[in-house]
Amino acid sequence: AQLTDDQANVLSTITQLIDQQTFHTVLLHGVTASGKTEIYIRAIEQVLDQARTALVLVPEIALTPQAISRFQQRFSTIAVMHSQLSASQRHQQWRMIARGRAKVVVGARSAVFAPLPDLGLVIIDEEHEPSYKQGNAPRYNARDVAIKRAQMNNIPVILGSATPSLETFHNCQTRDHY
């Protein structure tokens, strides 16, 4: 698919950050159906070309077969993590990730802890979603954990949203690494 000028400009910025292997948080602010997923996919392709891995967090409600198949069509080695998996299925996915067989992990909040080797990019789709917050112990916000993980790995993180959270919007205006 041909990218629009806006998509091409955004992707150019993201690929520069991927090439530099530097921590930076990018807010991809676009309405639904504006082509954010295509940018995610092309950024992941760039990371895979460098023999690195990618983590994509999506809200639990967005983990539909249609959304998953979009990633599976483009990437052969994908692991999917969500709450509907049985314990044995979750363990199987976890082992596949830990052994380096899955180059892309797509999942809900707990996927932020996936043991991906050589992590090159983190994407948090619909970053404003309250479902990223774990309500019972251990309490955490998967968006914030993902950003910290990207910082520790010195890699870029993409926050996608049509309606960014107030924290993200404020950080974009006040922090250098946003």
Side-chain angles (χ1 to χ4, degrees):
Q2 187 73 26
L3 295 181
T4 66
D5 288 346
D6 286 342
Q7 285 175 310
N9 289 338
V10 167
L11 186 61
S12 174
T13 299
I14 292 168
T15 55
Q16 284 176 10
L17 294 170
I18 291 168
D19 288 343
Q20 293 167 3
Q21 296 184 4
T22 184
F23 171 65
H24 204 84
T25 305
V26 176
L27 172 60
L28 184 53
H29 187 187
V31 298
T32 304
S34 61
K36 293 187 296 286
T37 304
E38 186 61 30
I39 291 172
Y40 300 158
I41 287 171
R42 293 193 188 204
I44 293 167
E45 287 171 345
Q46 170 94 9
V47 168
L48 296 181
D49 287 346
Q50 297 175 0
R52 301 181 88 195
T53 60
L55 171 64
V56 182
L57 295 182
V58 296
E60 187 77 41
I61 56 170
L63 271 173
T64 61
Q66 179 185 5
I68 293 167
S69 72
R70 186 131 184 233
F71 286 99
Q72 287 173 327
Q73 288 170 3
R74 299 286 278 273
F75 307 112
S76 58
T77 53
I78 181 173
V80 180
M81 311 257 324
H82 55 82
S83 65
Q84 302 305 310
L85 296 178
S86 68
S88 65
Q89 289 172 319
R90 191 173 293 116
H91 180 70
Q92 179 185 17
Q93 294 293 300
W94 200 262
R95 282 192 17 222
M96 186 172 78
I97 297 163
R99 291 178 175 165
R101 292 191 186 135
K103 302 300 181 193
V104 179
V105 172
V106 178
R109 128 183 107 226
S110 65
V112 74
F113 300 111
L116 277 161
D118 300 316
L119 189 59
L121 178 66
V122 175
I123 297 169
I124 306 150
D125 191 37
E126 303 301 336
E127 65 85 26
H128 63 277
E129 269 290 323
S131 65
Y132 285 124
K133 293 180 182 172
Q134 173 72 22
N136 49 4
R139 288 182 170 84
Y140 65 93
N141 183 327
R143 178 198 62 202
D144 298 343
V145 172
I147 292 170
K148 187 62 178 178
R149 188 169 179 192
Q151 182 183 24
M152 291 169 59
N153 284 278
N154 208 28
I155 59 171
V157 59
I158 302 170
L159 305 177
S161 180
T163 55
S165 66
L166 290 175
E167 302 99 322
T168 297
F169 198 73
H170 177 73
N171 287 338
C172 285
Q173 295 176 332
T174 60
R175 295 189 175 207
D176 290 340
H177 64 275
Y178 270 74

